[in-house]
Amino acid sequence: MIGRRLLVILFVVCCSSCAVKHRTLTRVQNWSYPVGQMDSQLSFSYVDNILEKTNNKRGARWANRKNIHVVSIRLINNSKQPIHGTQLAFFNGDEQVELLHNEWLAKKVRQRFSPLMILFFPIALMEQAIFESDDDVYDNGVEHESITMSIAEDVDEFRVKENSTLRDEFMNFQLANLVLMPGKPVYEIIGVRGKSDLKTLRFVCRNSNFEILSDQLQ
């Protein structure tokens, strides 16, 4: 009986080690960006399909199915005045592209449930059967806590934590919250909806009437 219990525990631990882990997006700041658009206001370059390149395979498959490009962009303000992220419009060739809010992106690419939960339930039934068969021989009146379900709860807590980390990273790279100071490279992540490749992604910096406040420069 002990051998069967040990086998169940080892199988559960092996499964739990396969839980999906979020791969950090902050590494985009260390990438080499190809030479892109450059003018007196901004230098701009980008890398497409960053979910796949950062090994977030589940999110990359979702984005591919929905015709969404998750793009890392590198910006340098070449002017002498701060530029706000909301002043930037992006075009694929001559067509303006729809930018998706990063919070929405994080919600869509999150791991909704762990596929391991499907495995845990039959293992829990097996574990219960083993304990019940033991109790028939050694009935000590002690109610046994399910090791399988306890580990399953830990796996689900891990999933929630990883989703939270993913959301925080997406929000840290939100273009609408950005103020570009002159001469400083800045990295952001944008979501673009469109079936065609982004081989000609470019920006237009629009004039605005609002003033960048001092607390936004911090």
Side-chain angles (χ1 to χ4, degrees), residues 165-214:
T165 301
L166 174 68
R167 181 189 179 280
D168 289 346
E169 286 197 351
F170 264 108
M171 294 309 297
N172 287 338
F173 286 107
Q174 176 64 38
L175 183 66
N177 300 333
L178 172 69
V179 176
L180 292 88
M181 300 303 295
K184 182 180 179 180
V186 175
Y187 300 85
E188 298 298 319
I189 292 173
I190 60 174
V192 174
R193 192 189 303 275
K195 294 183 179 180
S196 57
D197 293 337
L198 299 180
K199 294 181 179 179
T200 55
L201 187 65
R202 61 184 181 87
F203 76 90
V204 171
C205 187
R206 301 169 294 192
N207 293 326
S208 64
N209 296 323
F210 64 81
E211 181 181 356
I212 298 176
L213 303 177
S214 59

Side-chain angles (χ1 to χ4, degrees), residues 26-138:
T26 57
R27 70 180 71 177
V28 300
Q29 301 178 17
N30 302 321
W31 290 353
S32 175
Y33 284 75
V35 176
Q37 182 182 354
M38 183 183 303
D39 59 28
S40 60
Q41 284 188 308
L42 278 171
S43 297
F44 166 69
S45 54
Y46 67 95
V47 176
D48 196 4
N49 298 323
I50 66 163
L51 290 177
E52 181 178 345
K53 290 179 171 65
T54 54
N55 206 30
N56 287 286
K57 297 180 180 179
R58 184 184 301 274
R61 289 195 295 269
W62 171 85
N64 185 58
R65 290 197 306 271
K66 299 298 182 179
N67 297 314
I68 290 174
H69 300 266
V70 183
V71 184
S72 173
I73 62 176
R74 183 177 187 267
L75 299 162
I76 301 178
N77 183 354
N78 297 327
S79 71
K80 296 181 179 180
Q81 298 296 325
I83 296 175
H84 198 280
T86 55
Q87 292 179 248
L88 302 179
F90 291 88
F91 291 77
N92 188 23
D94 295 327
E95 181 180 356
Q96 185 170 356
V97 297
E98 175 189 359
L99 294 186
L100 306 172
H101 197 282
N102 283 15
E103 186 172 13
W104 181 85
L105 276 176
K107 182 178 180 181
K108 291 298 183 180
V109 302
R110 76 189 189 281
Q111 186 184 1
R112 289 171 173 76
F113 67 93
S114 172
L116 298 173
M117 301 301 289
I118 299 174
L119 297 177
F120 282 136
F121 286 112
I123 300 172
L125 293 175
M126 184 189 310
E127 181 187 6
Q128 182 181 6
I130 292 174
F131 278 129
E132 287 179 352
S133 64
D134 283 357
D135 289 342
D136 290 340
V137 180
Y138 307 104

